Every structure is written in C-alpha cells, then in structure tokens.
Amino acid sequence: MELFLKYPIDVQNELLLKLVSAAKNTEFGKQQDFSSIKSYTDFANNVPIQRYESIEPLIERCRKGEQNLFWPTPIRWFAKSSGTTNAKSKFIPVSDEAIEYCHFKAGKDMLCLYINNNENAKLFTGKGLRLGGSSAVYEDNNTYFGDLSAIIIENMPFWADFSSAPRQETALMGEWEAKMEAIINETIHENITSLVGVPSWMLVLLNRVLEKTGKNNILEVWPNLEVYFHGGINFNPYREQYKKLIPRDDFKYYETYNASEGFFAIQDRNDSDEMLLMLDYGIFYEFIPMSEYNGENSKAIPLSEVKKDINYAIIITTNGGLWRYLIGDTVKFTSTDPYRIKITGRTKHHINVFGEELIIENAEDALKVASDKTNCEIKEYTVGPIFMNGKENGAHEWIIEFKKAPENLTFFTEELDNALKNCNSDYEAKRYNNMTLAMPKIHQARKGLFYDWMKEKGKLGGQHKIPRLSNNRDFVEELLKL
C-alpha cells in the first residue's frame, strides 16, 4: 500500500501494460492488437469502452468451456451479478488471479488497515460473522456460477473456516429464511467479534437475533463485538438503527467497495466516510465525467487527470478479463493525494425525467436532514417519476417504509423537498414556483412491504439491493399493488 500511495500513477500505468501483455495472445487481445499497445494513449485508441451487452457473446462462449478468449488463464468461475432487481442476470468472469490478487488481497488489506488503526483490537480472539450471498454455487459445463460472496467462501482456504461463522455449509445455503435461522442458531453462543455483510440484510439478521434471544441489544448477545465491515449500499440511512442495536461509543464501522467485477476501495481511517482507492489489485481505472457521459461513446480520462468533487462514472480493466468495462457506478474523489473516493450512485439509478438530475447521494443526504428534523427513522425507500399529464406538472413519487414514522407526514415532505433544493440546484430550478415539478408525493409503506416485494421476486439476501431511484414507474407501480 505504501508503494501505491507514493507512486499511484506509476503503479497504475505499469499494471495496465502488464494486463495488456498478459492477454495479447487471447482472441480479444488479437482483435484489438494488444501487441502494438505501448502506452495508455494506445490502449484508449485501440480498445472501445464496453457494457456487458457488448461482451456477453464472449462470456457465453467461455461459460460453455472455450478458453483464452479475453484472459489467458482458464476461467471456471462466474459471479452471477445481482446488483438490482432487474430480471436479467449478468455472469461476470472471475479468474484465479482475481480471486487471489484482488478479492483475497482486499480481505487481508481490510484487516491490516483496521488493526493498524486500532492497536488494541481483539478481533482475532473471536470469530467474524459473515452474511454472504443467498445462493449456492451451481455447475454448468464444468464452469461454476453463483453470488460473488458464495464463490469467495467456496474458494477460501480450509483454515479460514476456523475464524468465521457460520460454517461454510450454512453460509452457502440457498434458501434465505432457512439460512437466517441456521446462522442465528449457530452463532448466538459463539464469541463474535466482527460482522461482515450488506447493511440492509445484516439489519434483518440482527433484529432476528434479538427476537430469538430476548435481549435488548446485540452487545448482550456478543459482548466483544467491535467492528462491522459493510458495503454494497449507502450506510447512512441505516446508521441510527445500528447505533441503537450496538450501543457502544467506540464501536467501529469500516466501509468497503466491492462488486462482482472486483474489489475497489477500503476505508483506511477510523470514523471516516471516504475510502482509499486500491491501485494494486490488478484493476486499471478510468473515469468519465458525468456531465459528459454518453455510455460507450464517452471519452474517458485516466486517474492522473481526475479532480475532486466531480461526479465520475467508473471504467475498469481487470485481471479477470474485463477490458474498459463500464460497471455502472459513479464516484466522487474527496482527495487526490492519496486517491480517496465516495460512492455517489449508479449511472442508471438517477431521476432525470425533468432535467433535475437527482442522484442517490442527493436523495440520501436530503432524507437524513428530513429525518433529523422530524425525529423519524427510515428503513427502506424507492422513488419514481410522476409524468406530466396535460396541464398537470410532473413530480417525484416516494414510497418510504419507516421504522419510526414522522408525526406529520406533510411536514416531513416539506422538509425533504427543501433539503433536496438545498443540495441540488437543478432540482431547485425545476421546483421554482412549481413550474416543472410539483411537491413530492410520499406514501408511507406498510411494515415489511419491501421485504415482501424482494421475496416475491426471489431476491432475498446477499447482494440483492432495492433500487432507490428510477426514471420509470415500474418499481413504484409494483410496490403500490402490494
């Protein structure tokens, strides 16, 4: 880490040329003339920016057993990407190099950073509770697919099972609700010192632990619990609920940024809300300013050209055979020495029906302000547009499931609207005198609505996420019916 902190651009450029050299004799490498690439400029000129749809035919051939298509070493594992509730699955290639030098390396680095910042940590005196993917690994044509977390658990060395709970067989169970019950039964008598998993599903598990044990908070069950390593979704909407469940002033939260495509960043300081971009995991980074974003036809810039506080879409080139791949996430740099980031949302998950350019970061910042002012707690939410109809203005329609509802929903709506205006000038302009956008419309969801919706779609647990913002009404309509 010290090396890439000192020489970030050199490390990235050297890594790019290594990846290109390694894959020059693959089918893709020959197509794009990798042998002629001697610099980043050559690379950007030779290789097009790609979405999943562009590379799907090659991936399908690889899943059927063909090799040396886009990466030289055999690829047997595919992470079935479950990002949002879209029906279509993506199968992301996971090479042995990606498992060893990206995902496993990140796990070690995450622990190193935590221990380095907390010398008195007693993490290794107990076990880490891992809440991974909701599906087991499946075989198909001598290749395997499953949630990334299931692939990681399946490939872990045998000794890693000694420091983790639940056991591997339980962690890989497919049926989510049976798995939750099994995890609780297996862990409530263990000495759990850390938690690892997605905040929304971990919250469900912890609440069920309290129901089962009759305890008032999680520290009564696991008194030595000291850190929660979380990622996958924005933690801010869940922060207050976790503070109540784990009422310990010195309890630590460490954010990570990992996806099926790779492990990208880790919080490197206590009590920080930004993450260090990890530059030596076999991933070369490029960025597209969202103000100029045009999908695969965008012009990208390398890490050396990024600036602070600009919203960028990320492009990755990896040791799993993804080349200039648009992963669909957006980030902002909070620092360029070292390179630290915050996740701001998704390239697709925003609302821009009326030119308001509302991103997830705006929505969650505004929800926090409105919740603080009305003394309420939000469990889940989603937002879609109300389209203009004749002389009627458009608006945003919110479905919010509260853990603790506001006393006055109208006052909450006004506070949310004001907070959105304060953090997004485009939204404020469209709301001016109700000219384009009317006041938001908010539905208070019944208890368990979002859980039931995910269950109906077969998407309970693991890395499945509730889509927050959408440019269409599909999710809103489905939820209103339920």
Short mmCIF file of all heavy atoms in Angstrom, two decimals, residues 315-369:
data_model
loop_
_atom_site.label_atom_id
_atom_site.label_comp_id
_atom_site.label_asym_id
_atom_site.label_seq_id
_atom_site.Cartn_x
_atom_site.Cartn_y
_atom_site.Cartn_z
N ILE A 315 -14.74 3.21 -15.16
CA ILE A 315 -14.43 2.19 -16.17
C ILE A 315 -13.28 1.36 -15.61
O ILE A 315 -12.31 1.92 -15.09
CB ILE A 315 -13.99 2.83 -17.49
CG1 ILE A 315 -15.12 3.65 -18.08
CG2 ILE A 315 -13.54 1.78 -18.49
CD1 ILE A 315 -14.71 4.43 -19.30
N ILE A 316 -13.39 0.04 -15.72
CA ILE A 316 -12.32 -0.81 -15.18
C ILE A 316 -11.77 -1.76 -16.25
O ILE A 316 -12.49 -2.19 -17.14
CB ILE A 316 -12.79 -1.63 -13.97
CG1 ILE A 316 -14.02 -2.48 -14.33
CG2 ILE A 316 -13.08 -0.75 -12.77
CD1 ILE A 316 -14.38 -3.51 -13.28
N THR A 317 -10.48 -2.05 -16.12
CA THR A 317 -9.81 -3.09 -16.89
C THR A 317 -9.19 -4.01 -15.85
O THR A 317 -8.50 -3.53 -14.95
CB THR A 317 -8.73 -2.47 -17.80
OG1 THR A 317 -9.40 -1.73 -18.84
CG2 THR A 317 -7.84 -3.52 -18.41
N THR A 318 -9.50 -5.33 -15.92
CA THR A 318 -9.16 -6.19 -14.78
C THR A 318 -8.40 -7.45 -15.14
O THR A 318 -8.37 -7.88 -16.29
CB THR A 318 -10.46 -6.64 -14.04
OG1 THR A 318 -11.08 -7.67 -14.83
CG2 THR A 318 -11.43 -5.50 -13.85
N ASN A 319 -7.84 -8.07 -14.08
CA ASN A 319 -7.16 -9.36 -14.22
C ASN A 319 -8.16 -10.51 -14.26
O ASN A 319 -7.82 -11.66 -14.03
CB ASN A 319 -6.12 -9.57 -13.11
CG ASN A 319 -6.72 -9.43 -11.73
OD1 ASN A 319 -7.93 -9.23 -11.56
ND2 ASN A 319 -5.88 -9.54 -10.71
N GLY A 320 -9.42 -10.18 -14.54
CA GLY A 320 -10.45 -11.20 -14.80
C GLY A 320 -10.88 -11.15 -16.25
O GLY A 320 -11.81 -11.84 -16.65
N GLY A 321 -10.24 -10.28 -17.05
CA GLY A 321 -10.54 -10.23 -18.48
C GLY A 321 -11.62 -9.24 -18.88
O GLY A 321 -12.20 -9.35 -19.96
N LEU A 322 -11.90 -8.26 -18.02
CA LEU A 322 -12.81 -7.17 -18.42
C LEU A 322 -11.95 -6.03 -18.96
O LEU A 322 -11.00 -5.61 -18.31
CB LEU A 322 -13.63 -6.68 -17.21
CG LEU A 322 -14.59 -7.70 -16.58
CD1 LEU A 322 -15.22 -7.12 -15.31
CD2 LEU A 322 -15.67 -8.13 -17.56
N TRP A 323 -12.29 -5.53 -20.14
CA TRP A 323 -11.47 -4.50 -20.79
C TRP A 323 -12.29 -3.24 -21.01
O TRP A 323 -13.29 -3.26 -21.71
CB TRP A 323 -10.93 -5.03 -22.13
CG TRP A 323 -10.08 -6.24 -21.91
CD1 TRP A 323 -10.46 -7.55 -22.02
CD2 TRP A 323 -8.71 -6.27 -21.49
NE1 TRP A 323 -9.42 -8.38 -21.70
CE2 TRP A 323 -8.33 -7.62 -21.37
CE3 TRP A 323 -7.77 -5.27 -21.20
CZ2 TRP A 323 -7.05 -8.01 -20.98
CZ3 TRP A 323 -6.49 -5.66 -20.82
CH2 TRP A 323 -6.14 -7.01 -20.71
N ARG A 324 -11.89 -2.16 -20.35
CA ARG A 324 -12.58 -0.85 -20.44
C ARG A 324 -14.09 -1.04 -20.22
O ARG A 324 -14.91 -0.62 -21.01
CB ARG A 324 -12.29 -0.16 -21.77
CG ARG A 324 -10.83 0.11 -22.04
CD ARG A 324 -10.61 1.16 -23.10
NE ARG A 324 -10.65 2.50 -22.55
CZ ARG A 324 -10.86 3.60 -23.29
NH1 ARG A 324 -11.09 3.50 -24.57
NH2 ARG A 324 -10.87 4.79 -22.72
N TYR A 325 -14.40 -1.66 -19.11
CA TYR A 325 -15.77 -2.09 -18.81
C TYR A 325 -16.48 -1.06 -17.93
O TYR A 325 -15.96 -0.66 -16.88
CB TYR A 325 -15.72 -3.45 -18.11
CG TYR A 325 -17.07 -4.03 -17.76
CD1 TYR A 325 -17.88 -4.60 -18.74
CD2 TYR A 325 -17.52 -4.01 -16.44
CE1 TYR A 325 -19.12 -5.14 -18.41
CE2 TYR A 325 -18.75 -4.56 -16.11
CZ TYR A 325 -19.55 -5.12 -17.10
OH TYR A 325 -20.77 -5.66 -16.78
N LEU A 326 -17.65 -0.64 -18.36
CA LEU A 326 -18.47 0.31 -17.59
C LEU A 326 -19.24 -0.46 -16.53
O LEU A 326 -20.15 -1.21 -16.86
CB LEU A 326 -19.48 0.98 -18.53
CG LEU A 326 -19.17 2.35 -19.10
CD1 LEU A 326 -20.22 2.71 -20.14
CD2 LEU A 326 -19.14 3.42 -18.01
N ILE A 327 -18.89 -0.25 -15.26
CA ILE A 327 -19.59 -1.04 -14.24
C ILE A 327 -20.91 -0.41 -13.80
O ILE A 327 -21.70 -1.05 -13.13
CB ILE A 327 -18.69 -1.31 -13.00
CG1 ILE A 327 -18.24 -0.01 -12.35
CG2 ILE A 327 -17.53 -2.17 -13.35
CD1 ILE A 327 -17.54 -0.23 -11.03
N GLY A 328 -21.13 0.86 -14.17
CA GLY A 328 -22.42 1.47 -13.86
C GLY A 328 -22.45 2.24 -12.55
O GLY A 328 -23.48 2.80 -12.19
N ASP A 329 -21.31 2.29 -11.82
CA ASP A 329 -21.26 3.06 -10.57
C ASP A 329 -20.68 4.45 -10.82
O ASP A 329 -19.90 4.65 -11.75
CB ASP A 329 -20.37 2.35 -9.54
CG ASP A 329 -21.02 1.10 -8.98
OD1 ASP A 329 -22.22 0.91 -9.22
OD2 ASP A 329 -20.32 0.32 -8.32
N THR A 330 -21.07 5.39 -9.96
CA THR A 330 -20.49 6.73 -10.02
C THR A 330 -19.84 7.06 -8.67
O THR A 330 -20.33 6.66 -7.62
CB THR A 330 -21.55 7.81 -10.36
OG1 THR A 330 -22.58 7.79 -9.37
CG2 THR A 330 -22.17 7.56 -11.73
N VAL A 331 -18.72 7.80 -8.74
CA VAL A 331 -17.99 8.19 -7.53
C VAL A 331 -17.54 9.64 -7.63
O VAL A 331 -17.51 10.22 -8.71
CB VAL A 331 -16.73 7.30 -7.31
CG1 VAL A 331 -17.10 5.85 -7.14
CG2 VAL A 331 -15.72 7.47 -8.44
N LYS A 332 -17.18 10.19 -6.46
CA LYS A 332 -16.51 11.49 -6.40
C LYS A 332 -15.21 11.30 -5.65
O LYS A 332 -15.16 10.54 -4.68
CB LYS A 332 -17.37 12.50 -5.61
CG LYS A 332 -18.40 13.22 -6.43
CD LYS A 332 -19.16 14.23 -5.58
CE LYS A 332 -20.31 14.83 -6.39
NZ LYS A 332 -21.22 15.60 -5.55
N PHE A 333 -14.17 12.01 -6.08
CA PHE A 333 -12.91 11.99 -5.33
C PHE A 333 -12.98 13.05 -4.24
O PHE A 333 -13.31 14.21 -4.50
CB PHE A 333 -11.73 12.25 -6.26
CG PHE A 333 -11.36 11.06 -7.08
CD1 PHE A 333 -11.99 10.81 -8.29
CD2 PHE A 333 -10.42 10.15 -6.62
CE1 PHE A 333 -11.68 9.68 -9.04
CE2 PHE A 333 -10.10 9.02 -7.35
CZ PHE A 333 -10.74 8.78 -8.56
N THR A 334 -12.67 12.63 -3.02
CA THR A 334 -12.62 13.58 -1.90
C THR A 334 -11.19 14.05 -1.68
O THR A 334 -10.95 15.02 -0.99
CB THR A 334 -13.14 12.91 -0.62
OG1 THR A 334 -12.40 11.70 -0.42
CG2 THR A 334 -14.62 12.57 -0.74
N SER A 335 -10.23 13.31 -2.28
CA SER A 335 -8.82 13.64 -2.14
C SER A 335 -8.09 13.02 -3.34
O SER A 335 -8.50 11.97 -3.84
CB SER A 335 -8.29 13.04 -0.83
OG SER A 335 -6.89 12.85 -0.88
N THR A 336 -7.02 13.69 -3.80
CA THR A 336 -6.22 13.10 -4.88
C THR A 336 -4.79 12.79 -4.41
O THR A 336 -3.95 12.40 -5.20
CB THR A 336 -6.18 14.03 -6.11
OG1 THR A 336 -5.76 15.34 -5.70
CG2 THR A 336 -7.54 14.12 -6.79
N ASP A 337 -4.54 12.97 -3.11
CA ASP A 337 -3.24 12.62 -2.54
C ASP A 337 -3.43 12.23 -1.08
O ASP A 337 -3.32 13.09 -0.20
CB ASP A 337 -2.25 13.80 -2.66
CG ASP A 337 -0.86 13.42 -2.14
OD1 ASP A 337 -0.56 12.21 -2.09
OD2 ASP A 337 -0.09 14.33 -1.79
N PRO A 338 -3.75 10.97 -0.80
CA PRO A 338 -3.93 9.86 -1.73
C PRO A 338 -5.32 9.93 -2.41
O PRO A 338 -6.12 10.80 -2.08
CB PRO A 338 -3.84 8.64 -0.81
CG PRO A 338 -4.39 9.12 0.49
CD PRO A 338 -3.96 10.56 0.60
N TYR A 339 -5.57 8.98 -3.32
CA TYR A 339 -6.85 8.96 -4.05
C TYR A 339 -7.92 8.31 -3.18
O TYR A 339 -7.93 7.08 -3.01
CB TYR A 339 -6.68 8.21 -5.37
CG TYR A 339 -5.90 9.02 -6.38
CD1 TYR A 339 -4.54 8.78 -6.59
CD2 TYR A 339 -6.51 10.02 -7.14
CE1 TYR A 339 -3.81 9.53 -7.51
CE2 TYR A 339 -5.80 10.77 -8.06
CZ TYR A 339 -4.45 10.52 -8.25
OH TYR A 339 -3.73 11.27 -9.16
N ARG A 340 -8.78 9.17 -2.62
CA ARG A 340 -9.89 8.66 -1.82
C ARG A 340 -11.21 9.02 -2.50
O ARG A 340 -11.32 10.09 -3.11
CB ARG A 340 -9.87 9.25 -0.41
CG ARG A 340 -8.77 8.71 0.46
CD ARG A 340 -9.03 8.98 1.95
NE ARG A 340 -7.91 8.50 2.76
CZ ARG A 340 -6.95 9.27 3.24
NH1 ARG A 340 -6.97 10.58 3.01
NH2 ARG A 340 -5.98 8.76 3.97
N ILE A 341 -12.20 8.14 -2.35
CA ILE A 341 -13.47 8.33 -3.06
C ILE A 341 -14.67 8.15 -2.13
O ILE A 341 -14.56 7.58 -1.04
CB ILE A 341 -13.62 7.32 -4.23
CG1 ILE A 341 -13.54 5.87 -3.70
CG2 ILE A 341 -12.60 7.57 -5.32
CD1 ILE A 341 -13.96 4.82 -4.70
N LYS A 342 -15.81 8.63 -2.63
CA LYS A 342 -17.12 8.31 -2.06
C LYS A 342 -17.98 7.79 -3.22
O LYS A 342 -17.89 8.33 -4.33
CB LYS A 342 -17.80 9.57 -1.52
CG LYS A 342 -17.42 9.97 -0.14
CD LYS A 342 -18.28 11.16 0.25
CE LYS A 342 -17.94 11.67 1.64
NZ LYS A 342 -18.76 12.81 2.00
N ILE A 343 -18.80 6.79 -2.95
CA ILE A 343 -19.73 6.31 -3.98
C ILE A 343 -20.91 7.28 -4.02
O ILE A 343 -21.48 7.61 -2.98
CB ILE A 343 -20.23 4.90 -3.66
CG1 ILE A 343 -19.05 3.94 -3.53
CG2 ILE A 343 -21.21 4.40 -4.72
CD1 ILE A 343 -19.40 2.60 -2.94
N THR A 344 -21.29 7.73 -5.21
CA THR A 344 -22.41 8.69 -5.31
C THR A 344 -23.66 8.06 -5.90
O THR A 344 -24.74 8.61 -5.79
CB THR A 344 -22.01 9.91 -6.15
OG1 THR A 344 -21.51 9.46 -7.42
CG2 THR A 344 -20.94 10.74 -5.47
N GLY A 345 -23.53 6.90 -6.54
CA GLY A 345 -24.74 6.26 -7.08
C GLY A 345 -24.44 5.40 -8.28
O GLY A 345 -23.36 4.83 -8.42
N ARG A 346 -25.42 5.29 -9.17
CA ARG A 346 -25.32 4.47 -10.37
C ARG A 346 -25.57 5.34 -11.59
O ARG A 346 -26.34 6.30 -11.53
CB ARG A 346 -26.37 3.36 -10.36
CG ARG A 346 -26.30 2.43 -9.17
CD ARG A 346 -25.35 1.29 -9.36
NE ARG A 346 -25.72 0.42 -10.48
CZ ARG A 346 -24.90 -0.45 -11.04
NH1 ARG A 346 -23.66 -0.55 -10.62
NH2 ARG A 346 -25.29 -1.22 -12.04
N THR A 347 -24.96 4.98 -12.71
CA THR A 347 -25.19 5.75 -13.93
C THR A 347 -26.65 5.66 -14.35
O THR A 347 -27.21 6.59 -14.92
CB THR A 347 -24.31 5.25 -15.09
OG1 THR A 347 -24.48 3.84 -15.23
CG2 THR A 347 -22.84 5.54 -14.84
N LYS A 348 -27.30 4.51 -14.06
CA LYS A 348 -28.70 4.35 -14.45
C LYS A 348 -29.65 4.77 -13.33
O LYS A 348 -30.79 5.11 -13.58
CB LYS A 348 -28.97 2.89 -14.81
CG LYS A 348 -28.36 2.47 -16.14
CD LYS A 348 -28.69 1.01 -16.43
CE LYS A 348 -28.07 0.58 -17.76
NZ LYS A 348 -28.23 -0.86 -17.98
N HIS A 349 -29.19 4.69 -12.08
CA HIS A 349 -30.09 4.93 -10.96
C HIS A 349 -30.08 6.40 -10.56
O HIS A 349 -29.47 6.80 -9.59
CB HIS A 349 -29.72 4.04 -9.76
CG HIS A 349 -30.08 2.62 -9.99
ND1 HIS A 349 -30.37 1.74 -8.99
CD2 HIS A 349 -30.22 1.92 -11.14
CE1 HIS A 349 -30.66 0.57 -9.50
NE2 HIS A 349 -30.56 0.65 -10.81
N HIS A 350 -30.75 7.17 -11.36
CA HIS A 350 -30.95 8.57 -11.03
C HIS A 350 -32.28 8.96 -11.65
O HIS A 350 -32.86 8.18 -12.41
CB HIS A 350 -29.80 9.43 -11.59
CG HIS A 350 -29.70 9.40 -13.08
ND1 HIS A 350 -29.12 8.36 -13.76
CD2 HIS A 350 -30.12 10.27 -14.04
CE1 HIS A 350 -29.17 8.58 -15.06
NE2 HIS A 350 -29.78 9.73 -15.27
N ILE A 351 -32.79 10.11 -11.29
CA ILE A 351 -34.02 10.58 -11.94
C ILE A 351 -33.66 11.85 -12.70
O ILE A 351 -33.19 12.82 -12.11
CB ILE A 351 -35.15 10.87 -10.93
CG1 ILE A 351 -35.49 9.59 -10.15
CG2 ILE A 351 -36.40 11.36 -11.65
CD1 ILE A 351 -36.69 9.72 -9.24
N ASN A 352 -33.88 11.79 -13.99
CA ASN A 352 -33.61 12.96 -14.81
C ASN A 352 -34.70 13.11 -15.87
O ASN A 352 -34.44 13.34 -17.03
CB ASN A 352 -32.23 12.85 -15.46
CG ASN A 352 -31.76 14.19 -16.01
OD1 ASN A 352 -32.18 15.24 -15.53
ND2 ASN A 352 -30.91 14.15 -17.02
N VAL A 353 -35.95 12.92 -15.43
CA VAL A 353 -37.09 13.00 -16.35
C VAL A 353 -37.37 14.45 -16.72
O VAL A 353 -37.81 14.76 -17.82
CB VAL A 353 -38.34 12.34 -15.70
CG1 VAL A 353 -39.58 12.55 -16.56
CG2 VAL A 353 -38.09 10.85 -15.49
N PHE A 354 -37.08 15.36 -15.79
CA PHE A 354 -37.42 16.78 -15.99
C PHE A 354 -36.19 17.67 -16.00
O PHE A 354 -36.29 18.88 -15.83
CB PHE A 354 -38.40 17.24 -14.89
CG PHE A 354 -39.53 16.28 -14.67
CD1 PHE A 354 -39.52 15.40 -13.60
CD2 PHE A 354 -40.61 16.24 -15.55
CE1 PHE A 354 -40.57 14.50 -13.39
CE2 PHE A 354 -41.65 15.35 -15.35
CZ PHE A 354 -41.65 14.48 -14.28
N GLY A 355 -34.99 17.05 -16.13
CA GLY A 355 -33.76 17.84 -16.11
C GLY A 355 -33.28 18.13 -14.70
O GLY A 355 -32.41 18.97 -14.48
N GLU A 356 -33.82 17.39 -13.72
CA GLU A 356 -33.46 17.65 -12.32
C GLU A 356 -32.19 16.93 -11.87
O GLU A 356 -31.62 17.25 -10.82
CB GLU A 356 -34.63 17.27 -11.39
CG GLU A 356 -34.94 15.79 -11.29
CD GLU A 356 -35.85 15.27 -12.40
OE1 GLU A 356 -35.64 15.60 -13.59
OE2 GLU A 356 -36.77 14.51 -12.08
N GLU A 357 -31.76 15.91 -12.63
CA GLU A 357 -30.50 15.19 -12.35
C GLU A 357 -30.33 14.82 -10.88
O GLU A 357 -29.31 15.11 -10.25
CB GLU A 357 -29.30 16.01 -12.83
CG GLU A 357 -29.34 16.22 -14.34
CD GLU A 357 -27.98 16.53 -14.94
OE1 GLU A 357 -26.98 16.11 -14.37
OE2 GLU A 357 -27.97 17.19 -15.98
N LEU A 358 -31.33 14.18 -10.33
CA LEU A 358 -31.29 13.76 -8.92
C LEU A 358 -30.54 12.44 -8.81
O LEU A 358 -30.91 11.46 -9.45
CB LEU A 358 -32.72 13.60 -8.39
CG LEU A 358 -32.86 13.41 -6.89
CD1 LEU A 358 -32.60 14.72 -6.16
CD2 LEU A 358 -34.25 12.90 -6.54
N ILE A 359 -29.46 12.42 -8.02
CA ILE A 359 -28.69 11.19 -7.83
C ILE A 359 -28.91 10.66 -6.41
O ILE A 359 -29.45 11.36 -5.55
CB ILE A 359 -27.18 11.40 -8.11
CG1 ILE A 359 -26.58 12.44 -7.15
CG2 ILE A 359 -26.94 11.79 -9.56
CD1 ILE A 359 -25.05 12.56 -7.25
N ILE A 360 -28.48 9.42 -6.19
CA ILE A 360 -28.74 8.77 -4.90
C ILE A 360 -28.14 9.57 -3.74
O ILE A 360 -28.76 9.70 -2.69
CB ILE A 360 -28.19 7.33 -4.92
CG1 ILE A 360 -29.04 6.48 -5.88
CG2 ILE A 360 -28.20 6.71 -3.54
CD1 ILE A 360 -28.54 5.08 -6.12
N GLU A 361 -26.96 10.13 -3.96
CA GLU A 361 -26.31 10.92 -2.90
C GLU A 361 -27.22 12.07 -2.45
O GLU A 361 -27.37 12.32 -1.25
CB GLU A 361 -24.98 11.47 -3.43
CG GLU A 361 -24.16 12.17 -2.37
CD GLU A 361 -22.90 12.81 -2.94
OE1 GLU A 361 -22.93 13.29 -4.09
OE2 GLU A 361 -21.91 12.84 -2.22
N ASN A 362 -27.85 12.76 -3.42
CA ASN A 362 -28.78 13.85 -3.07
C ASN A 362 -29.94 13.32 -2.24
O ASN A 362 -30.32 13.89 -1.21
CB ASN A 362 -29.40 14.50 -4.33
CG ASN A 362 -28.39 15.09 -5.28
OD1 ASN A 362 -28.66 15.17 -6.48
ND2 ASN A 362 -27.23 15.50 -4.80
N ALA A 363 -30.54 12.22 -2.72
CA ALA A 363 -31.72 11.66 -2.06
C ALA A 363 -31.40 11.27 -0.62
O ALA A 363 -32.16 11.57 0.31
CB ALA A 363 -32.23 10.44 -2.83
N GLU A 364 -30.25 10.63 -0.40
CA GLU A 364 -29.94 10.13 0.94
C GLU A 364 -29.51 11.26 1.88
O GLU A 364 -29.83 11.23 3.06
CB GLU A 364 -28.91 9.01 0.84
CG GLU A 364 -29.42 7.94 -0.12
CD GLU A 364 -29.05 6.52 0.18
OE1 GLU A 364 -27.89 6.28 0.48
OE2 GLU A 364 -29.93 5.64 0.07
N ASP A 365 -28.82 12.26 1.34
CA ASP A 365 -28.48 13.43 2.16
C ASP A 365 -29.77 14.14 2.61
O ASP A 365 -29.90 14.54 3.78
CB ASP A 365 -27.60 14.42 1.38
CG ASP A 365 -26.17 13.90 1.21
OD1 ASP A 365 -25.82 12.88 1.85
OD2 ASP A 365 -25.40 14.50 0.43
N ALA A 366 -30.71 14.30 1.67
CA ALA A 366 -31.96 15.01 1.98
C ALA A 366 -32.81 14.21 2.96
O ALA A 366 -33.43 14.77 3.88
CB ALA A 366 -32.74 15.29 0.69
N LEU A 367 -32.85 12.89 2.80
CA LEU A 367 -33.62 12.05 3.73
C LEU A 367 -33.08 12.15 5.14
O LEU A 367 -33.84 12.18 6.11
CB LEU A 367 -33.58 10.58 3.28
CG LEU A 367 -34.51 10.20 2.12
CD1 LEU A 367 -34.19 8.79 1.64
CD2 LEU A 367 -35.98 10.29 2.52
N LYS A 368 -31.76 12.24 5.25
CA LYS A 368 -31.16 12.37 6.59
C LYS A 368 -31.57 13.68 7.25
O LYS A 368 -31.95 13.71 8.42
CB LYS A 368 -29.63 12.27 6.51
CG LYS A 368 -29.00 12.35 7.89
CD LYS A 368 -27.59 11.88 7.96
CE LYS A 368 -27.03 11.78 9.35
NZ LYS A 368 -27.70 12.48 10.42
N VAL A 369 -31.53 14.78 6.47
CA VAL A 369 -31.93 16.09 7.00
C VAL A 369 -33.39 16.04 7.45
O VAL A 369 -33.73 16.46 8.57
CB VAL A 369 -31.73 17.19 5.93
CG1 VAL A 369 -32.34 18.51 6.39
CG2 VAL A 369 -30.25 17.39 5.63
#
